[in-house]
Amino acid sequence: FIINLQRMIGDAMNVQQLEYIIEIAKEKNITRAAKNLFISQSNLSQYLAKLENELDVPLFIRHRNELVLTDAGMEYVEAAKEVIRIKENLYSKIAEASKNRHITLGVSSQWGMNLLSDVLPRFRTMMPGILLDVSEGPTQKLIPQLNEGLLDFALISTHKCSDPLNHLEVLKEEAVFLALPASYAASRKISEDMSGEEALSKLTDTGLILSQKRTALREISDEICSQHHLNAATVCEINSMPMTVKLVAKGMGIGFIPRSCINQELPVIYLPLASNARRYQAIIYRNQMILHSAEQTILKLIHEFSQNNYDL
């Protein structure tokens, strides 16, 4: 087994496969491990079966509905962790020695764009030799790019703040409000001291302006509409919060707006939701991220901005 283990570890050009076994060992469950790794349960099960067949020894046994490491499995996990540690140290030294360093950032929200517009000029002054590569896109597009190593960090909006892999750090949480045209106050008998849920009962025949599907805000909106049996027709799907507020102001329909996107200059009423709906702004790290001087500097600036702009 030791000879086979050494061969398998030595041939593991993609340490992500080593992380598969480490994650199964941590979760003691294939389903949870697969979810954390953003791969299918069947693919993870097939990989484990293939590996155990090649090693000719089981790495796990089932005990009380949990997968428990065998002695061989414990040796494999310890060796896998050592390989990952060696790779991280090597990459760190290479990165520090490179003269053409760059940091790749992804961003999925308006709040994240506002953050970068403040942080990037300051970072450029402090680290003029580092190239910054910024791309914008929805969270569901950025996460695979992180997993593939195409991004170092991503500033994302998320409905849930938990992260089993501990790669995600919440920077800000903000309340979500029901936004409706100010003209509805009189015509629909809606007062500004109502909760959003109370107002929804009077808005069953109005149109909905929603974020596009599979976004954090859309998940929140769908949950609220489902809980209150709101079957209003969707008249527009758009991810631009400034545009959503403008469409609401013009009477096109109602929408759900996070606090950071509220515009008090337009004729829009914002009602708090009794359900205490929250959207989280977070930074998520690439797997095996090495935080050398440039990364540490930009993270420091990101944290400073978040702390100075942390209104709930």
Side-chain angles (χ1 to χ4, degrees):
F1 165 74
I2 295 298
I3 294 175
N4 284 336
L5 175 59
Q6 290 173 340
R7 177 178 58 81
M8 289 297 296
I9 297 296
D11 292 343
M13 299 302 292
N14 182 1
V15 299
Q16 187 174 41
Q17 293 180 346
L18 303 180
E19 291 181 326
Y20 290 172
I21 303 303
I22 294 172
E23 190 63 27
I24 296 172
K26 185 178 76 173
E27 288 294 339
K28 300 181 180 181
N29 180 280
I30 288 283
T31 301
R32 290 195 299 268
K35 182 178 180 181
N36 296 346
L37 293 164
F38 298 98
I39 63 175
S40 70
Q41 178 183 345
S42 60
N43 284 346
L44 186 57
S45 296
Q46 290 172 12
Y47 171 74
L48 175 59
K50 179 181 177 182
L51 176 60
E52 289 181 327
N53 183 58
E54 290 179 354
L55 294 174
D56 196 27
V57 64
L59 300 180
F60 296 90
I61 58 172
R62 182 166 294 279
H63 179 67
R64 295 180 181 178
N65 295 323
E66 289 186 339
L67 291 177
V68 179
L69 284 169
T70 62
D71 290 343
M74 286 188 281
E75 289 187 42
Y76 188 98
V77 168
E78 288 304 312
K81 289 180 178 178
E82 180 64 13
V83 169
I84 292 172
R85 184 190 66 79
I86 292 171
K87 179 187 175 183
E88 289 176 349
N89 288 339
L90 175 62
Y91 277 32
S92 179
K93 291 178 181 178
I94 292 173
E96 290 289 357
S98 174
K99 295 182 179 179
N100 298 313
R101 295 256 330 272
H102 72 283
I103 296 176
T104 54
L105 296 164
V107 58
S108 72
S109 69
Q110 185 62 46
W111 187 84
M113 293 297 290
N114 292 340
L115 180 151
L116 290 181
S117 67
D118 177 90
V119 164
L120 296 189
R122 297 165 60 197
F123 177 81
R124 177 67 178 172
T125 300
M126 300 169 69
M127 293 275 181
I130 306 298
L131 173 66
L132 296 169
D133 186 353
V134 181
S135 59
E136 185 179 6
T139 296
Q140 65 267 25
K141 178 181 177 181
L142 298 181
I143 297 299
Q145 291 179 345
L146 279 167
N147 292 337
E148 294 168 12
L150 301 177
L151 294 175
D152 294 319
F153 304 104
L155 294 164
I156 66 168
S157 297
T158 180
H159 182 19
K160 300 175 182 179
C161 61
S162 60
D163 173 48
L165 292 180
N166 299 315
H167 296 149
L168 180 146
E169 177 186 354
V170 173
L171 299 172
K172 174 189 179 74
E173 64 173 287
E174 54 182 343
V176 176
F177 292 75
L178 175 67
L180 57 149
S183 60
Y184 283 16
S187 62
R188 306 298 180 98
K189 296 182 180 180
I190 294 173
S191 63
E192 295 191 24
D193 60 354
M194 280 183 176
S195 70
E197 287 86 351
E198 289 179 276
L200 284 176
S201 64
K202 302 175 181 292
L203 299 170
T204 55
D205 61 340
T206 192
L208 284 171
I209 304 169
L210 299 175
S211 296
Q212 292 178 340
K213 293 178 180 179
R214 298 181 65 192
T215 61
L217 196 58
R218 179 59 179 268
E219 291 178 3
I220 293 171
S221 304
D222 287 348
E223 283 185 10
I224 293 171
C225 291
S226 175
Q227 290 170 1
H228 295 274
H229 308 290
L230 183 65
N231 297 316
T234 301
V235 296
C236 184
E237 291 184 347
I238 185 170
N239 282 340
S240 170
M241 289 296 100
M243 178 64 75
T244 298
V245 175
K246 288 179 181 178
L247 294 177
V248 170
K250 291 182 178 294
M252 186 171 175
I254 62 174
F256 296 91
I257 303 294
R259 179 180 286 278
S260 63
C261 299
I262 285 177
N263 185 341
Q264 298 288 6
E265 296 180 0
L266 294 175
V268 174
I269 297 173
Y270 303 95
L271 300 179
L273 294 160
S275 58
N276 201 31
R278 286 286 191 272
R279 184 177 77 161
Y280 299 93
Q281 301 289 352
I283 184 168
I284 189 165
Y285 300 69
R286 172 172 55 81
N287 289 344
Q288 305 168 43
M289 185 68 191
I290 304 299
L291 299 179
H292 37 79
S293 57
E295 284 75 11
Q296 291 172 1
T297 298
I298 200 165
L299 280 176
K300 180 176 181 291
L301 294 174
I302 288 172
H303 288 142
E304 287 177 356
F305 179 93
S306 302
Q307 292 167 4
N308 295 332
N309 295 270
Y310 199 94
D311 55 328
L312 296 182

